[in-house]
């Protein structure tokens, strides 16, 4: 009896779900969602062709260092890296002495307290410190950026779909452009508001951040690489890929080793099976 009741309840539940699915699909077909400018004119990110991409990707440390230089000279004025410590830079090829110098010379110092007076003060950064925020708090950040809050970039390439390519495309040389005449003709109300900038790689097409990479040579690379806007966009994308996944190479290596182990184990298991049952007639 209990089994029959349970079966009836199960059929009723499935029936309700089927009816709900039917009417939802019917409504979607009869009343399709209206077209939007975001849906029609939003562009998918371009391929940055980073060495870290793919199942066997590794970091090009020279490129990641160039990306750090772009972050330091262009992005750090507005965006924080609150989950990254100065000493982490040793993983991309900087020596201990270089990391110490970078930390000490960083423009923004760490908040502190004067032990003699108890008043707020600042101190020089040390390698164990995390990168300090360029603003004292969210209110100050919004006040300096037309009420827009610059996001932290530590995990940006993990927080966005196809993150590495997204960052590369968002700040690349063809990202900021005039609104297409076709968009304004089809969606007159979609005109970019004052204070925002049209960028087809951004989710709603209008972004508060002004173009960060405005000209070739904006950064002078220490290794002599020509700093075109496209090169700087690709390099900063590589750096932010590293900040989000500093253990990427180890993860790829561990995954590759695991696949090889499983393949060998399956072969040995198959051999053992054949050996144990070789005398058994079917």
């Amino acid at each position: 009896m209990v089994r029959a009741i349970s079966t009836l309840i199960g059929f009723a539940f499935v029936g309700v779900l089927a009816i709900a699915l039917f009417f939802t699909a019917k409504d979607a077909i009869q009343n399709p969602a209206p077209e939007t400018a975001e849906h029609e004119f939003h562009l998918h990110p371009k391929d940055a062709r980073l060495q870290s991409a793919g199942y066997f990707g590794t970091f090009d440390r020279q490129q990641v260092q160039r990306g750090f230089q772009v972050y330091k000279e262009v992005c750090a004025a507005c965006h924080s890296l609150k989950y990254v410590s100065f000493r982490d830079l040793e993983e991309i090829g900087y020596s201990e002495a270089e990391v110490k110098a970078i930390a000490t010379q960083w423009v923004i110092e760490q908040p502190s307290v004067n032990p003699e007076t108890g008043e707020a003060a600042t101190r020089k950064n040390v390698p164990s410190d995390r990168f300090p925020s360029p603003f004292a708090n969210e209110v100050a950040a919004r006040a300096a950026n037309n009420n827009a809050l610059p996001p932290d970039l530590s995990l940006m390439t993990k927080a966005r779909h196809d993150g590495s390519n997204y960052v590369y495309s968002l700040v690349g040389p063809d990202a900021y452009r005039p609104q297409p005449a076709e968009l304004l003709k089809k969606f007159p109300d979609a005109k970019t508001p004052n204070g925002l900038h049209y960028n087809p790689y951004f989710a709603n097409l209008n972004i508060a951040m002004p173009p960060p990479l405005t000209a070739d040579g904006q950064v002078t690379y220490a290794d002599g690489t020509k700093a075109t806007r496209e090169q700087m966009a690709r390099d900063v994308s590589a750096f932010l890929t590293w900040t989000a996944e500093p253990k990427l190479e180890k993860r790829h290596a561990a995954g590759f080793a695991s696949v090889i182990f499983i393949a060998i184990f399956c072969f040995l298991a198959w051999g053992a099976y054949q050996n144990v049952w070789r005398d058994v007639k079917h």
Side-chain angles (χ1 to χ4, degrees):
M1 185 67 179
V2 174
R3 181 177 296 180
I5 294 175
S6 299
T7 302
L8 289 175
I9 293 175
F11 276 120
F13 181 72
V14 172
V16 170
L17 289 179
I19 293 172
L21 178 62
F22 171 77
F23 283 104
T24 301
K26 180 181 177 181
D27 183 66
I29 293 172
Q30 294 178 343
N31 304 294
E35 292 184 351
T36 62
E38 292 85 351
H39 180 268
E40 187 167 342
F41 289 89
H42 178 260
L43 299 180
H44 292 288
K46 300 183 298 180
D47 186 4
R49 304 188 305 278
L50 297 181
Q51 185 175 304
S52 57
Y55 296 114
F56 306 103
T58 58
F59 288 118
D60 179 345
R61 278 163 173 71
Q62 195 168 24
Q63 181 180 48
V64 176
Q65 287 187 20
R66 292 198 302 269
F68 169 65
Q69 193 173 347
V70 175
Y71 167 77
K72 177 183 178 181
E73 298 183 23
V74 178
C75 310
C78 296
H79 296 279
S80 58
L81 279 181
K82 63 182 180 181
Y83 297 117
V84 183
S85 299
F86 287 101
R87 63 185 174 190
D88 293 335
L89 296 176
E90 292 184 28
E91 297 181 17
I92 60 174
Y94 287 102
S95 67
E96 185 177 346
E98 288 174 323
V99 169
K100 186 175 182 180
I102 291 171
T104 303
Q105 297 167 5
W106 198 259
V107 175
I108 304 165
E109 298 184 339
Q110 293 288 338
S112 182
V113 175
N114 188 322
E116 297 179 358
T117 64
E119 296 180 351
T122 59
R123 62 168 176 80
K124 294 288 186 181
N125 297 288
V126 296
S128 60
D129 287 326
R130 293 183 176 182
F131 283 84
S133 172
F135 303 104
N137 50 47
E138 181 178 332
V139 175
R142 290 186 181 278
N145 291 277
N146 196 26
N147 204 38
L149 180 65
D152 180 79
L153 298 182
S154 308
L155 304 175
M156 183 55 66
T157 59
K158 295 292 288 183
R160 298 292 183 270
H161 172 67
D162 199 12
S164 299
N165 295 331
Y166 167 80
V167 171
Y168 164 69
S169 302
L170 190 73
V171 300
D174 68 334
Y176 291 82
R177 60 181 78 171
Q179 280 189 293
E182 183 182 355
L183 183 153
L184 295 176
K185 182 178 180 180
K186 192 169 184 178
F187 303 98
D189 295 335
K191 181 176 175 60
T192 299
N194 291 332
L196 300 183
H197 308 269
Y198 180 76
N199 188 323
Y201 297 105
F202 193 63
N204 67 358
L205 306 181
N206 300 308
I207 188 171
M209 178 178 69
L213 303 175
T214 55
D216 294 347
Q218 189 172 343
V219 173
T220 302
Y221 283 135
D223 64 1
T225 299
K226 186 176 180 181
T228 63
R229 291 171 65 192
E230 182 175 356
Q231 183 68 54
M232 289 185 288
R234 181 174 289 111
D235 292 343
V236 77
S237 174
F239 173 67
L240 294 179
T241 300
W242 170 77
T243 63
E245 287 197 274
K247 306 300 182 184
L248 177 142
E249 293 173 322
K250 292 182 179 179
R251 179 168 59 80
H252 285 179
F256 183 65
S258 299
V259 170
I260 292 178
F261 172 79
I262 292 173
I264 295 174
F265 176 80
C266 289
F267 177 77
L268 293 176
W270 177 82
Y273 170 82
Q274 294 295 321
N275 183 60
V276 170
W277 296 97
R278 68 181 184 278
D279 296 329
V280 177
K281 294 183 178 181
H282 296 283

